[in-house]
Amino acid sequence: MERVEKIPSLSEEKVGAALSTSVDQMAALSSFLGEQDAPLTTDCRYSVRVSPQMANRIVDSARSILNKFIPDIYIYTDHMKGVSSGKSPGFGLSLVAETTTGTFLSAELASSPQGQGAAVLPEDLGRNCAKLLLEEIYRGGCVDSTNQSLGLLLMTLGQQDVSKVLLGPLSPYTIEFLRHLKSFFQIMFKIETKPCGEELKGGDKVLLTCVGIGFSNLSKTLK
């Protein structure tokens, strides 16, 4: 127990908004998953310079949330000790859900560096990370909220042709990133709201469309 107290958690500001899934959202998510083949979830739990039991406690708490929706969850453990583990003790969990249409949605939480923030229990980290993944599934789209900006950047630098992507509700970071794209590349996206309904389940979706700038690597050798 002493080792747990030495490992602080992420601040409430970082996870508070993502963990605000309402009862109505959870009910909608349960109905959504029940109407189609359940997505396959693959997880990786990791721990360094702490007891291997920490990882087991993380996965038990995560399963207590995820197994209410889907049974086929595969979790792999990566425990490091000794010289190969470095000098910073900690643990974390990375969750990836693959939908029936081949889309990957992910969520990840890890303990903060030693001596920063409040202490966190492995059980709390596992449950919070599972809720984050459920939030991403409810939001939907082709890209999870963490990687929305990366998809938009690739569309911007792509060929001089029309590109489209369907995303869940835009995160504050993505909204600011769109402003940066306009400043640096003079690219403006056409944004269409797609309310949830018979075709689109979960939260409201956003369809973004743009024409790429045709960026090319000037250092690339031409044959």
Side-chain angles (χ1 to χ4, degrees):
M1 185 61 69
E2 293 179 356
R3 292 188 178 183
V4 177
E5 295 176 352
K6 292 180 180 179
I7 302 172
S9 65
L10 295 173
S11 63
E12 293 183 359
E13 290 81 359
K14 294 181 180 179
V15 300
L19 299 181
S20 60
T21 305
S22 65
V23 175
D24 292 339
Q25 287 178 327
M26 295 298 288
L29 174 62
S30 181
S31 174
F32 167 50
L33 292 178
E35 292 175 359
Q36 61 174 334
D37 294 336
L40 175 65
T41 303
T42 304
D43 315 329
C44 178
R45 51 184 179 168
Y46 53 90
S47 58
V48 293
R49 300 187 69 86
V50 296
S51 171
Q53 190 63 26
M54 295 291 187
N56 296 330
R57 293 165 62 182
I58 292 175
V59 68
D60 289 341
S61 59
R63 281 186 176 276
S64 68
I65 301 294
L66 298 176
N67 282 140
K68 296 178 181 179
F69 299 94
I70 52 177
D72 50 341
I73 299 175
Y74 302 91
I75 301 179
Y76 305 93
T77 303
D78 186 7
H79 176 71
M80 303 292 290
K81 61 181 180 179
V83 179
S84 60
S85 63
K87 298 182 179 181
S88 300
F91 50 80
L93 177 63
S94 177
L95 303 177
V96 179
E98 180 182 1
T99 67
T100 54
T101 56
T103 298
F104 292 91
L105 304 173
S106 64
E108 183 174 7
L109 280 181
S111 59
S112 298
Q114 187 176 12
Q116 300 180 13
V120 61
L121 292 174
E123 290 80 4
D124 294 337
L125 187 142
R127 284 191 294 267
N128 290 342
C129 191
K131 292 177 182 178
L132 285 177
L133 181 64
L134 294 178
E135 175 74 14
E136 293 294 344
I137 295 174
Y138 177 81
R139 292 166 63 94
C142 299
V143 184
D144 55 55
S145 59
T146 305
N147 297 299
Q148 286 177 347
S149 58
L150 177 59
L152 298 180
L153 177 61
L154 294 176
M155 291 171 60
T156 300
L157 300 177
Q159 299 179 355
Q160 293 180 338
D161 198 356
V162 177
S163 299
K164 296 183 178 181
V165 64
L166 184 67
L167 303 177
L170 299 181
S171 66
Y173 181 91
T174 302
I175 295 174
E176 188 64 30
F177 190 79
L178 286 171
R179 297 191 180 105
H180 290 323
L181 291 178
K182 181 181 178 181
S183 300
F184 284 92
F185 300 104
Q186 289 74 51
I187 287 290
M188 294 185 63
F189 284 76
K190 178 183 178 182
I191 302 177
E192 302 176 73
T193 303
K194 300 290 184 180
C196 61
E198 295 182 358
E199 296 183 359
L200 298 175
K201 303 296 183 180
D204 293 341
K205 307 297 187 293
V206 180
L207 179 64
L208 290 96
T209 308
C210 80
V211 177
I213 65 173
F215 179 83
S216 59
N217 186 1
L218 300 178
S219 300
K220 184 178 181 180
T221 303
L222 298 178
K223 296 181 180 180

